[in-house]
Amino acid sequence: MDSSECTDTVGPLNATYCHSEVILGTCYPSSPINHTFTRSCKHLVDEGFPNPGDIIKSNSFTITCQIGGKWSSPGIGNCLFSLVPEDPGVSDAKLQFYERVIQGAKIMEVVGMCLSWFCLLMAIFVFTCFRSLQCHRTRIHIHLFVAFLLRLTFDIILWVERLYSKRHNEQDTAIRSVPALCQSFEVFREYLRLCTFAWMFIEGVYLNSLLSTAVFGRPKFVVYYVIGWVISIPLVVAWATAMHLTLGSNGGCWHGHMNTLFYWIFIETPRNALLVANCVFLINIVRVLITKLRESNTSESQQVRKAIKATIVLLPLLGIANLVWLVPQPKVTEPKEWIVTYNYGLLFLDAYQGLLVGLLYCFLNTEVRGVLRRKWYAWQNTRNPHRRHHSVVTTATDVRLSVMEDGHCKLDGEYVNMVNSNPL
């Protein structure tokens, strides 16, 4: 809710009254000292906490008008699982710091989601519109980007809905007011998350296969499609069925579902298994890279530099950084540095992963830049014919140079050699 809308005043505005103020998205009207408001902890679910499952929705928190005309800090310690069993008497200063960190990290996350969404959309457009870039590798990239894009779309829709409810001070909006619709959003979001990790796994399988065979065979795309889009369906259906049977149709939006046993069995375990497999692929890729570099008599320092570079470039594509989510969420009583690092670091890796993948494997790719440069020159020539004799001539042969007869990109050969200065 906007502070400009919280303007109602009751009684004289002096030291015996607190001014009206928006706190945690709610307008508290001008009130006399010692007046206390009680709010349900369920309200915090809509206020940007990264893990709604950490909130005890059945509890409540209070805020009081103190002597001197100042509102007290919201006593949200009673609302958090991470606080209640450990130290119910956590100071208000620590709670305020924890709240500021979470809100700041959520703003960074929203910016990252929007940037990733736009970058992935443009990358899909580039790969699908330029025939010279269409090959097995980019075909897999497109499916990964589409899964990423759809998942981000659901996340952004839910964020916009949450923002709307805060600005209009509404507890239930179009999605949240209909349990079936809200639960459907959660089901589709988890399905798309699983699909995203499945296509990351396929990226690892394909890259590892290029390194393991001297002759490129045609990838089995039917198998890839089943792994990428189909296998996730029975897992998500089993999880959704278990949630429905345990919580019923009136289970709201299933907030806190990440802490349930069913979520770990049907969603988290398969997802982490795919990431572990990609870790194995990455180790093998780096091993082959170092072997190739040693065979080419490359200096040891250059070997280390190229191995590190290849590892960093492949981390976002294979999604291995997502394993850090297995690290337990810090308690409010833990050091401030760790709270900041955890919340900002993890949300950065999650929200900006699409942006990094789109940049590294599309817009910073040598092939893509070459095609876009030729297209730009051709467009300039059509607008200014006098520039034609100064521009690079683009021919049909030139455009087709990046694709082999069997559909593999020539850059796939660079993956196998792994001695090219650009691991992309």
Side-chain angles (χ1 to χ4, degrees), residues 60-72:
S60 59
F61 66 94
T62 60
I63 181 169
T64 304
C65 177
Q66 299 175 324
I67 297 176
K70 298 291 184 181
W71 291 103
S72 66

Side-chain angles (χ1 to χ4, degrees), residues 168-199:
H168 294 78
N169 200 25
E170 297 180 5
Q171 292 299 313
D172 292 319
T173 54
I175 297 178
R176 297 180 185 276
S177 61
V178 183
L181 179 61
C182 188
Q183 293 166 10
S184 298
F185 263 72
E186 292 294 337
V187 170
F188 279 108
R189 186 164 62 165
E190 291 300 334
Y191 166 72
L192 292 170
R193 280 174 59 84
L194 264 178
C195 290
T196 302
F197 284 86
W199 281 104

Side-chain angles (χ1 to χ4, degrees), residues 84-388:
V84 175
E86 182 180 353
D87 188 0
V90 176
S91 66
D92 287 343
K94 288 186 176 181
L95 289 173
Q96 289 178 341
F97 173 79
Y98 190 77
E99 177 191 340
R100 288 197 303 270
V101 170
I102 290 176
Q103 291 179 346
K106 291 296 291 184
I107 293 174
M108 179 200 68
E109 181 190 28
V110 170
V111 173
M113 288 193 302
C114 294
L115 291 175
S116 295
W117 190 91
F118 179 76
C119 183
L120 290 170
L121 182 65
M122 296 303 297
I124 294 171
F125 174 80
V126 170
F127 281 147
T128 54
C129 290
F130 295 99
R131 294 184 60 186
S132 59
L133 297 175
Q134 295 175 9
C135 56
H136 297 329
R137 176 173 53 83
T138 56
R139 191 173 170 185
I140 296 174
H141 286 349
I142 290 173
H143 283 274
L144 173 62
F145 293 175
V146 168
F148 248 126
L149 186 71
L150 293 176
R151 176 203 138 192
L152 287 172
T153 300
F154 274 85
D155 288 337
I156 292 173
I157 289 175
L158 292 174
W159 173 78
V160 171
E161 188 231 15
R162 186 162 54 244
L163 179 64
Y164 177 86
S165 65
K166 288 177 62 177
R167 286 190 175 275
H168 294 78
N169 200 25
E170 297 180 5
Q171 292 299 313
D172 292 319
T173 54
I175 297 178
R176 297 180 185 276
S177 61
V178 183
L181 179 61
C182 188
Q183 293 166 10
S184 298
F185 263 72
E186 292 294 337
V187 170
F188 279 108
R189 186 164 62 165
E190 291 300 334
Y191 166 72
L192 292 170
R193 280 174 59 84
L194 264 178
C195 290
T196 302
F197 284 86
W199 281 104
M200 290 178 187
F201 169 74
I202 293 170
E203 291 275 7
V205 170
Y206 179 68
L207 180 53
N208 195 67
S209 67
L210 292 179
L211 295 171
S212 303
T213 58
V215 179
F216 301 152
R218 181 176 178 82
K220 299 178 180 179
F221 273 98
V222 174
V223 177
Y224 289 171
Y225 294 150
V226 171
I227 296 175
W229 297 112
V230 179
I231 287 183
S232 301
I233 295 177
L235 295 173
V236 173
V237 169
W239 166 72
T241 302
M243 293 296 293
H244 179 76
L245 293 177
T246 55
L247 297 181
S249 58
N250 296 321
C253 290
W254 292 345
H255 290 307
H257 65 267
M258 295 182 183
N259 295 331
T260 63
L261 177 63
F262 304 117
Y263 186 81
W264 276 92
I265 293 175
F266 298 113
I267 305 294
E268 202 65 25
T269 299
R271 189 155 54 205
N272 290 328
L274 295 174
L275 293 178
V276 171
N278 272 356
C279 285
V280 176
F281 292 148
L282 179 62
I283 293 172
N284 184 57
I285 291 168
V286 175
R287 178 189 63 81
V288 174
L289 169 60
I290 295 176
T291 301
K292 296 288 185 180
L293 291 173
R294 286 176 178 173
E295 292 175 355
S296 62
N297 297 321
T298 307
S299 65
E300 185 174 350
S301 60
Q302 195 172 6
Q303 292 178 26
V304 174
R305 186 171 63 253
K306 288 193 174 184
I308 294 175
K309 185 178 180 181
T311 303
I312 294 175
V313 169
L314 290 173
L315 279 177
L317 182 71
L318 303 181
I320 297 172
N322 288 278
L323 285 172
V324 298
W325 284 101
L326 295 176
V327 179
Q329 185 177 3
K331 312 294 183 183
V332 178
T333 53
E334 296 189 30
K336 293 183 177 180
E337 295 79 7
W338 173 233
I339 294 175
V340 173
T341 302
Y342 181 91
N343 286 283
Y344 278 89
L346 265 68
L347 290 180
F348 176 85
L349 291 174
D350 184 56
Y352 289 81
Q353 186 177 5
L355 176 65
L356 294 175
V357 170
L359 288 176
L360 290 173
Y361 291 90
C362 182
F363 298 107
L364 297 181
N365 183 277
T366 306
E367 280 185 289
V368 175
R369 285 186 297 171
V371 170
L372 294 178
R373 190 181 300 114
R374 290 192 294 269
K375 189 67 176 179
W376 172 253
Y377 288 149
W379 180 77
Q380 285 185 318
N381 289 339
T382 58
R383 295 194 61 189
N384 187 1
H386 299 290
R387 290 173 50 90
R388 290 183 179 177

